[in-house]
């Protein structure tokens, strides 16, 4: 594999390093010269500088993992995620509350020039019309307060997979306004359908036609490597003026839906 970006001398963290988009990102970063530290619920240190067990549903595990990883961390790639089929509260914990908590721990030690990228989803696109409820949720600033808010507002929040991704997008935008004062950028990538073990698990439960509906107009699913490239770009100096964006990596799906009036 040829390196698309130069990460020589950079100490980076990839969550979800054991599978799918995270594994492809870890491989691409190693090729680009980074010292890659992986963290996931499952997996091992193959191809990595280190591997730290991490359960994003558990604040104690998150704190222990952040401390074991240590510093400096020049770039954080939040690729871990739970499928839409696990228990609702676990989806919210892993895909937003735990990801936020881990990021806060790592940001506390991140040097000037650092960068964070969060893997959201085309399923989180609706933040564009649901900002008020999401901002209310984000005002619950801790893991436990966020959980309590969600339990009290389940009905209006919608499915936790979409809600967690919407929250990740809006939280990223909020953080971008303040972190840039420390010289740190933070962005989101929103994949469409990516051929990974998560998508295989979804396809075992939901019809393939439902997944293929989001491959319009490109007509095929993404490989994990096609997601890794934009993630490496966003956390590299090549994106030094890119901050607080939601980069759609969906083959043009949401461009078409937006023109078709999905957000009028
Ligand atoms: P995957 O299932 O292949 O990998 C998920 C990774 O997250 C694994 O390394 C797993 O160990 C880790 N993980 C799961 N639960 C965890 C927990 N409680 N604590 C720590 N780590 C945990 O999934 P994939 O497809 O690579 O997904 C990566 C991200 O991309 C997720 O955030 C997912 O929501 C998002 N995404 C995926 C799409 C797809 O079509 N595959 C589409 C849109 C977004």
């Amino acid at each position: 594999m040829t390196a698309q970006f130069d990460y020589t001398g950079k100490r980076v963290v990839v969550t979800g390093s054991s599978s799918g988009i995270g594994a492809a990102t870890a491989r691409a970063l190693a090729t680009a010269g980074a010292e890659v530290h992986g963290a996931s619920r499952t997996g091992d240190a193959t191809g990595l500088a280190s591997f730290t067990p991490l359960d994003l549903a558990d604040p104690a595990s998150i704190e222990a993992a952040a401390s074991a990883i240590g510093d400096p961390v020049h770039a954080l790639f939040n690729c871990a995620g739970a499928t839409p089929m696990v228990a609702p509260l676990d989806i919210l914990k892993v895909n937003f509350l735990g990801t936020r908590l881990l990021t806060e721990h790592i940001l506390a030690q991140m040097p000037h020039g650092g960068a964070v990228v969060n893997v959201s989803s085309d399923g989180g696109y609706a933040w564009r019309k649901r900002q008020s409820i999401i901002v209310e949720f984000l005002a619950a600033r801790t893991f436990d307060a966020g959980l309590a808010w969600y339990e009290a507002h389940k009905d209006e929040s919608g499915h936790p997979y979409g809600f967690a991704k919407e929250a990740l997008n809006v939280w990223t935008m909020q953080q971008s306004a303040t972190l840039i004062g420390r010289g740190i950028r933070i962005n989101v990538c929103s994949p469409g359908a990516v051929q990974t073990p998560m998508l295989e698990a979804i396809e075992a439960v939901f019809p393939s036609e439902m997944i293929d509906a989001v491959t319009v107009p490109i007509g095929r699913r993404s490989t994990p490597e096609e997601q890794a490239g934009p993630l490496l770009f966003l956390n590299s100096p090549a994106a030094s003026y890119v901050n607080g964006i939601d980069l759609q990596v969906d083959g043009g799906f949401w461009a078409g839906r937006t023109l078709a009036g999905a957000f009028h």
Side-chain angles (χ1 to χ4, degrees):
M1 196 196 298
T2 313
Q4 293 170 302
F5 299 96
D6 185 8
Y7 274 76
T8 307
K10 301 293 182 195
R11 190 169 183 272
V12 306
V13 172
V14 180
T15 72
S17 56
S18 61
S19 179
I21 296 170
T25 300
R27 284 193 300 272
L29 283 163
T31 302
E35 179 185 313
V36 186
H37 297 267
S40 253
R41 198 181 44 177
T42 57
D44 60 39
T46 307
L48 302 169
S50 79
F51 175 80
T52 304
L54 165 72
D55 182 0
L56 285 167
D58 175 6
S61 165
I62 292 166
E63 194 174 334
S67 150
I69 290 165
D71 53 74
V73 174
H74 299 109
L76 170 62
F77 296 79
N78 279 320
C79 301
T83 72
M85 291 87 74
V86 305
L89 289 184
D90 284 339
I91 297 174
L92 187 74
K93 288 177 188 173
V94 175
N95 291 3
F96 179 69
L97 295 171
T99 296
R100 175 176 69 174
L101 184 59
L102 178 76
T103 305
E104 287 168 346
H105 278 297
I106 289 183
L107 277 169
Q109 306 294 337
M110 188 174 271
H112 189 279
V116 178
V117 66
N118 299 313
V119 177
S120 183
S121 169
D122 62 358
Y125 197 81
W127 67 262
R128 289 161 176 81
K129 56 180 178 185
R130 283 167 37 90
Q131 282 180 46
S132 59
I133 187 170
I134 296 162
V135 166
E136 191 186 318
F137 167 63
L138 293 174
R141 294 199 182 278
T142 65
F143 188 100
D144 288 340
L147 209 51
W149 184 97
Y150 182 79
E151 288 195 282
H153 297 84
K154 270 184 200 135
D155 293 344
E156 63 261 47
S157 302
H159 192 280
Y161 187 85
F163 186 70
K165 297 297 191 181
E166 290 163 13
L168 188 61
N169 284 16
V170 178
W171 178 74
T172 298
M173 289 191 288
Q174 288 179 338
Q175 295 307 303
S176 70
T178 50
L179 287 173
I180 201 64
R182 290 174 48 199
I184 294 171
R185 298 177 301 103
I186 183 166
N187 292 291
V188 158
C189 261
S190 290
V194 191
Q195 199 58 51
T196 66
M198 179 182 288
L199 196 66
E200 282 165 26
I202 293 171
E203 202 162 13
V205 178
F206 295 101
S208 301
E209 295 73 38
M210 204 189 81
I211 296 164
D212 290 334
V214 304
T215 64
V216 176
I218 198 166
R220 64 175 179 83
R221 299 173 186 189
S222 166
T223 65
E225 288 74 19
E226 288 175 301
Q227 300 298 319
L231 292 170
L232 264 69
F233 162 67
L234 283 176
N235 273 358
S236 79
S240 57
Y241 208 70
V242 183
N243 187 33
I245 68 153
D246 174 13
L247 179 61
Q248 302 295 308
V249 191
D250 66 358
F253 172 72
W254 270 114
R257 293 277 294 136
T258 302
L259 287 179
F263 281 84
H264 290 171

